[in-house]
Amino acid sequence: MKKYDVIGIGNAIVDVFTQADDSFIEMMGIEKGIMQLVERERGEVLYGAMKDRVQAPGGSVANTIAGLGNLGLRTAFIGRVHDDALGRFYARTMADAGTDFPNPPVAGGELPTSRSMIFVSPDGERSMNTYLGISSELGPEDVADDVAGEAAFLFLEGYLYDKPKGKQAFERAAKLCQQAGGKAGIALSDPFCVDRHRGDFRRLVKELDYVIGNEHEWSSLYQTDLSSALEQAAQDAGTVVCTRSGDEVILVRGTETVTVPVRRVVPVDATGAGDQFAAGFLYGLATGQGLATAGRMGCTAAAEVISHFGARPETDLKALFRTESLI
């Protein structure tokens, strides 16, 4: 029996939300609907322009881990925050939600806790402007043997590959997990991230146990159409998951291919849809469900999070799974 059902490793980012119409987004020079990295000065300008700010602990994989905590699994998150107000807020709220945050806030140094300024437009689209701060310094020294080695499942964030130390932390965690009998997987994060690290990600697809990406990320990874990309991925990876922006989710494991229908809903806020899909899917894997059930769990969790403001579930996901006869 492992100490943790699922551990995540990724950027520890405080999400700061506000609502904004398209004219404001255009006036501020914000690129709508994507995640964009910004420098500290730009981040301060955007932060200052936000009205009625709401903050929450975030980061893609951290959001997934929060969803798994909602489902009652034993979880931990490996991340790096500064010993400042936002960093202490992050560590405290993760712990309060039942997720171990084994690395204490770091004192000293100039880099503050990372934050993402998220502008949500009336159509539910989110425009994310992320200043990485201290999370970009996450390194192998932040990955303890008695944490990563105690995971039944490890979930990795592709964005970590943007920094050499993050890449080392990522690979150390995966090695510790797999050597101790756990399963490790990755979220491809976004097509631009795939473009930057295509060679490394193609290697990882062969080494890891599961890989989650959307249609654009898979096509970018293999530089071909989606059907051909998934055919190649199926030969390389243990379990392949492809989400498709409101269309059927495709899951492949060896010779088994499953498609899971998506119930279309008008999003209040699309933030966290992919993160919570991953939470539902990983819950299915961790509890021994088949691909079809795990995929349906992912879709149910994603539908819940886009029905309200914020990137983490507000409803009892396990109750929703019961309603859908998934458990």
Side-chain angles (χ1 to χ4, degrees):
M1 176 70 73
K2 298 287 188 181
K3 181 178 180 180
Y4 299 107
D5 297 306
V6 185
I7 289 176
I9 176 170
N11 288 308
I13 299 171
V14 176
D15 287 338
V16 187
F17 299 91
T18 193
Q19 293 177 308
D21 58 27
D22 289 345
S23 61
F24 176 87
I25 289 172
E26 183 178 354
M27 179 185 71
M28 294 299 295
I30 297 167
E31 194 162 350
K32 183 177 177 181
I34 69 164
M35 194 290 289
Q36 189 171 19
L37 294 178
V38 299
E39 297 300 323
R40 187 171 184 172
E41 183 177 352
R42 170 69 168 164
E44 289 173 351
V45 168
L46 293 174
Y47 185 82
M50 302 179 89
K51 296 181 179 179
D52 301 320
R53 295 185 294 254
V54 176
Q55 68 183 35
S60 178
V61 166
N63 290 335
T64 296
I65 295 300
L68 289 162
N70 175 288
L71 284 159
L73 296 191
R74 296 163 299 141
T75 58
F77 179 69
I78 300 169
R80 190 174 180 91
V81 298
H82 187 63
D83 189 14
D84 54 18
L86 284 181
R88 291 187 292 273
F89 164 80
Y90 193 99
R92 182 178 66 253
T93 50
M94 290 291 283
D96 288 348
T99 291
D100 284 357
F101 191 71
N103 299 327
V106 179
E110 295 184 359
L111 291 176
T113 295
S114 310
R115 72 284 314 266
S116 182
M117 282 62 69
I118 303 172
F119 297 86
V120 183
S121 47
D123 60 1
E125 196 63 75
R126 80 273 195 239
S127 305
M128 305 171 69
N129 301 265
T130 303
Y131 168 61
L132 285 179
I134 197 172
S135 69
S136 64
E137 292 193 333
L138 182 75
E141 68 277 7
D142 296 307
V143 180
D145 291 30
D146 59 356
V147 177
E150 281 294 331
F153 286 84
L154 181 72
F155 191 39
L156 308 161
E157 184 173 307
Y159 286 128
L160 284 186
Y161 261 68
D162 281 333
K163 296 288 185 178
K165 287 181 66 178
K167 176 180 176 178
Q168 293 166 18
F170 184 116
E171 297 195 347
R172 171 172 161 77
K175 183 178 181 180
L176 286 168
C177 173
Q178 291 179 316
Q179 286 182 339
K183 296 184 181 299
I186 185 176
L188 294 177
S189 294
D190 75 26
F192 302 108
C193 186
V194 173
D195 288 342
R196 293 191 294 270
H197 308 293
R198 185 173 288 110
D200 279 327
F201 283 3
R202 283 192 182 181
R203 172 178 56 81
L204 283 170
V205 167
K206 295 179 179 180
E207 294 177 355
L208 298 179
D209 300 288
Y210 61 92
V211 182
I212 302 174
N214 64 33
E215 55 191 321
H216 307 297
E217 292 157 3
W218 283 114
S219 293
S220 174
L221 183 63
Y222 290 103
Q223 296 177 290
T224 187
D225 62 273
L226 180 62
S227 177
S228 299
L230 292 182
E231 184 176 340
Q232 180 63 49
Q235 296 175 23
D236 291 345
T239 299
V240 173
V241 183
C242 177
T243 59
R244 299 191 296 156
S245 301
D247 291 327
E248 288 180 327
V249 176
I250 303 171
L251 305 99
V252 184
R253 179 188 290 150
T255 59
E256 179 187 7
T257 299
V258 170
T259 57
V260 176
V262 172
R263 183 184 306 150
R264 291 180 175 271
V265 297
V266 178
V268 173
D269 172 13
T271 309
D275 304 338
Q276 295 313 318
F277 172 86
F281 170 73
L282 284 171
Y283 179 80
L285 287 190
T287 56
Q289 306 299 323
L291 283 186
T293 299
R296 288 181 60 202
M297 287 174 166
C299 292
T300 300
E304 188 281 335
V305 81
I306 67 174
S307 70
H308 58 76
F309 202 56
R312 299 188 173 191
E314 293 183 350
T315 305
D316 182 342
L317 292 179
K318 194 173 285 189
L320 289 181
F321 290 174
R322 291 193 185 96
T323 300
E324 298 288 331
S325 301
L326 296 172
I327 55 175

